[in-house]
Amino acid sequence: MIEIKHPQEQARLRHLALAAQGLLQAQPYGRGLAGARKAINHLGYVQIDTISVVERAHHHVFYSRVPQFKPAMTHQMLLNGDIFEYWAHAAAFLPIADFRFSLPYKHAIKSGQTHWYRTRDQKLMGELLARIRSDGPLRSRDIETNTTKRAGWWDWKPAKKALEQLYMEGDLMVSAREGFQKTYDLTERVLPSHINSTMPSMVEFAAHIVDQQLRCHGVVSLKGLTYQRRNSELRKAVKALVNERLAQRTLEQVQVSSGEVFILETGAFECPLPRLNSRMLILSPFDNSVIQRERLKALFQYDYRLESYVPAAKRQYGYFCLPLLYRDEFIGRMDCKAHRKTNHLEIKSLHFEQHDFDEDLVLTAFVDAITQFCHFQKCDSVSLTKVYPKNLTQRFHHALKPLG
């Protein structure tokens, strides 16, 4: 067990975690569509989220790592069969090569485990499946109706639930989507023929999870390896595999100052890492690097909470604060909203943590980051309301004036 005590050791652990996430290099996976494909293959998933005060989370995650990424590329990868939609710890896009590892959860749902709905209408599910088999793909909007009209033999709620249940059980896949309107088709018509679709054993599943998490995080906790997965057998298999690899000395453990223990590949702590640069990244609250909040706090001493689910009066930082990563530290958070009708980005509040940083360098990095972020949001102007600490207000207002 390596005890992490010195600031240099703590910094190296942060570097290792950020490098594994593709957040230290300017283009770790390449550019454009090819870069996005490599990024998701490395990360293992990209979370889908409906909140749209800024560009949606699944596009934002790619944007943070892939130069020249455009939101339309996510749908293009879906149409190309590079990725598929399903459930990771939440709704997500996943690499198509990992399709077989979605099968255990699909099997559990089909066998009676509850995901969304406790009851299921098997008759309606069979009718929907038969319609799709005979008539082709079905959009969710094709079965939508209001409370006063009926569309044939269904109304919206039961049919929508049945469609989602078929999707969660694996009979259907999402073949296309327009925003949050999904098109469903039979799995055998969507899944590319060369993709392995055999059910993995629990040992294979555990190995996949451990290898994937080490690859995309570099530094993992035992709890984090199966983050938000309710499969107790999988958790047991993962723990057994980790213990086996620790005994074989292909994995080692480190303990940080808070007492928490993390796992990494043996020798990874001493490996060369990309050099730090003085850029700032504006990340999504659902970014792979920050989604495990306990890990984030232990490794980066960054206490982050998404407050969109908190009553407005109790919010400390704002509805949808975006983490700000500068060099190897999370130094602040920004609550903002893209006003799409006026192409304007409103920064409601900008909070900086109590860090010892060079104000000039941070200011320059922030202006560069917000300029690029505006382009990503298709905004051509910026306004800034509040800055904390307040003594930075005048400098930041002045620096953003050319963008206003």
Side-chain angles (χ1 to χ4, degrees), residues 68-335:
Q68 298 178 2
F69 171 79
K70 305 290 187 235
M73 292 175 182
T74 308
H75 190 221
Q76 189 60 52
M77 287 190 288
L78 186 66
L79 294 178
N80 291 351
D82 298 321
I83 60 176
F84 72 105
E85 272 193 50
Y86 197 60
W87 200 259
H89 71 269
F93 291 115
L94 301 112
I96 197 68
D98 292 347
F99 175 81
R100 66 189 296 243
F101 297 105
S102 70
L103 297 178
Y105 195 56
K106 290 172 180 173
H107 177 72
I109 299 299
K110 185 167 279 195
S111 299
Q113 182 173 311
T114 298
H115 182 80
W116 297 122
Y117 314 117
R118 291 185 179 180
T119 59
R120 58 198 74 183
D121 188 332
Q122 295 288 359
K123 182 176 181 293
L124 183 54
M125 287 165 63
E127 291 171 334
L128 276 168
L129 206 55
R131 172 176 169 174
I132 293 171
R133 183 171 285 112
S134 63
D135 297 351
L138 184 68
R139 298 174 302 175
S140 52
R141 71 175 64 164
D142 294 333
I143 59 171
E144 291 179 5
T145 184
N146 58 38
T147 55
T148 59
K149 288 187 177 182
R150 296 269 173 150
W153 38 265
W154 46 41
D155 67 24
W156 184 82
K157 284 186 178 179
K160 176 65 174 173
K161 288 181 179 180
L163 202 58
E164 282 293 310
Q165 188 67 29
L166 287 165
Y167 162 70
M168 290 306 302
E169 291 185 9
D171 295 297
L172 299 179
M173 289 180 69
V174 175
S175 59
R177 67 153 59 221
E178 299 172 37
F180 275 79
Q181 283 287 341
K182 295 182 281 191
T183 299
Y184 298 89
D185 200 355
L186 301 178
T187 292
E188 58 262 32
R189 293 203 292 235
V190 178
L191 187 67
S193 58
H194 67 279
I195 296 300
N196 187 346
S197 58
T198 58
M199 178 73 74
S201 68
M202 195 56 71
V203 171
E204 288 177 310
F205 197 7
H208 167 71
I209 292 290
V210 172
D211 292 341
Q212 178 204 71
Q213 292 292 294
L214 285 168
R215 180 185 72 239
C216 72
H217 283 304
V219 181
V220 299
S221 67
L222 187 60
K223 181 180 178 181
L225 283 169
T226 52
Y227 176 71
Q228 296 284 27
R229 293 181 185 267
R230 294 184 291 169
N231 188 331
S232 60
E233 290 302 310
L234 176 61
R235 289 199 294 268
K236 289 177 185 176
V238 164
K239 184 176 181 179
L241 180 59
V242 167
N243 287 336
E244 179 184 327
R245 292 187 182 182
L246 286 170
Q248 294 169 346
R249 297 187 179 179
T250 57
L251 295 181
E252 59 186 354
Q253 294 176 308
V254 298
Q255 187 174 45
V256 297
S257 56
S258 63
E260 291 172 76
V261 174
F262 290 92
I263 304 154
L264 62 163
E265 291 182 346
T266 299
F269 195 65
E270 291 80 26
C271 283
L273 292 171
R275 293 179 63 182
L276 289 176
N277 56 55
S278 294
R279 67 171 180 161
M280 184 176 291
L281 292 177
I282 300 167
L283 299 179
S284 167
F286 300 102
D287 193 278
N288 301 49
S289 65
V290 302
I291 198 66
Q292 294 186 34
R293 312 299 194 209
E294 291 179 13
R295 175 183 184 273
L296 184 65
K297 188 174 182 179
L299 288 179
F300 294 90
Q301 292 75 55
Y302 184 64
D303 193 1
Y304 178 78
R305 182 186 187 190
L306 180 60
E307 296 184 323
S308 50
Y309 309 113
V310 175
K314 294 184 178 181
R315 290 177 193 144
Q316 183 178 0
Y317 298 107
Y319 175 77
F320 198 64
C321 272
L322 311 180
L324 302 179
L325 176 66
Y326 174 68
R327 293 177 65 83
D328 67 338
E329 293 185 291
F330 288 91
I331 67 165
R333 56 201 87 198
M334 176 178 72
D335 186 38

